[in-house]
Amino acid sequence: MEVILLERIARLGGMGDVVKVRDGYARNFLIPMDKALRASATNKKLFEERKHIIAEQNAKSKAAAEIEAKKLDGLVVTIVRQASQEGKLYGSVTVRDVAEALKLDGYEIPRSQIILSTNIKTTGEYPVRVTLHAEVVATIKLTIARNESEAA
């Protein structure tokens, strides 16, 4: 199915690009999330008329994301978990755990915007990417510890 992108999407294209994607991806994600329109003649005409409005909305959301990224960049988040003497966790730390820790620090970040580079199964420090906008990414430092004194 061909769609017109309403915003920049990683590994797919930029705003206004007409791209071919799988039907399910378009129907179940891109179109319901208002990230794309079907590439019909009427939608192409509609997009050309609304292009400046959509670009303005994208610029506003990018500016808001950049402000949030400045707050988040370099933030250190600590999660205390049970672990063995060697530092292996009893379980693992997931995106859900990171989102809850950020929520406790006062940041409302959806889980879909948090990207873990590796599975976290040992204590230590890990970089975590937070994608606030398609073009804005902040990096926070995640510290996993066995107890509060070890975290400090």
Side-chain angles (χ1 to χ4, degrees):
M1 172 184 296
E2 287 194 341
V3 294
I4 304 166
L5 297 178
L6 299 178
E7 62 183 56
R8 183 180 173 278
I9 298 176
R11 290 178 263 145
L12 199 55
M15 185 182 85
D17 292 348
V18 177
V19 295
K20 186 173 175 111
V21 296
R22 299 230 173 175
D23 291 351
Y25 184 52
R27 278 195 311 258
N28 298 326
F29 180 71
L30 293 175
I31 294 171
M33 299 294 271
D34 291 327
K35 294 179 182 282
L37 293 172
R38 289 179 194 262
S40 65
T42 55
N43 280 343
K44 286 180 183 178
K45 185 190 278 186
L46 179 69
F47 175 76
E48 288 302 322
E49 293 171 1
R50 293 182 20 195
K51 188 174 185 175
H52 66 282
I53 297 169
I54 295 169
E56 191 175 298
Q57 289 172 345
N58 278 339
K60 285 181 184 176
S61 65
K62 182 180 177 184
E66 286 174 345
I67 291 169
E68 188 74 17
K70 286 180 183 175
K71 293 178 191 173
L72 284 174
D73 257 341
L75 179 71
V76 178
V77 177
T78 303
I79 297 178
V80 176
R81 284 290 158 95
Q82 290 183 342
S84 67
Q85 293 296 325
E86 296 86 37
K88 292 185 179 178
L89 297 177
Y90 299 130
S92 63
V93 175
T94 63
V95 171
R96 174 179 285 148
D97 301 320
V98 176
E100 288 173 2
L102 283 169
K103 193 173 188 176
L104 291 175
D105 286 351
Y107 298 99
E108 279 289 329
I109 307 293
R111 290 185 306 200
S112 60
Q113 294 180 341
I114 299 171
I115 302 168
L116 296 176
S117 58
T118 61
N119 292 334
I120 300 176
K121 296 185 178 189
T122 59
T123 58
E125 295 180 350
Y126 299 90
V128 176
R129 290 181 26 220
V130 180
T131 308
L132 299 169
H133 185 269
E135 300 170 10
V136 180
V137 177
T139 303
I140 63 172
K141 188 168 146 186
L142 179 65
T143 303
I144 309 297
R146 284 188 289 169
N147 52 42
E148 291 293 332
S149 62
E150 189 178 292

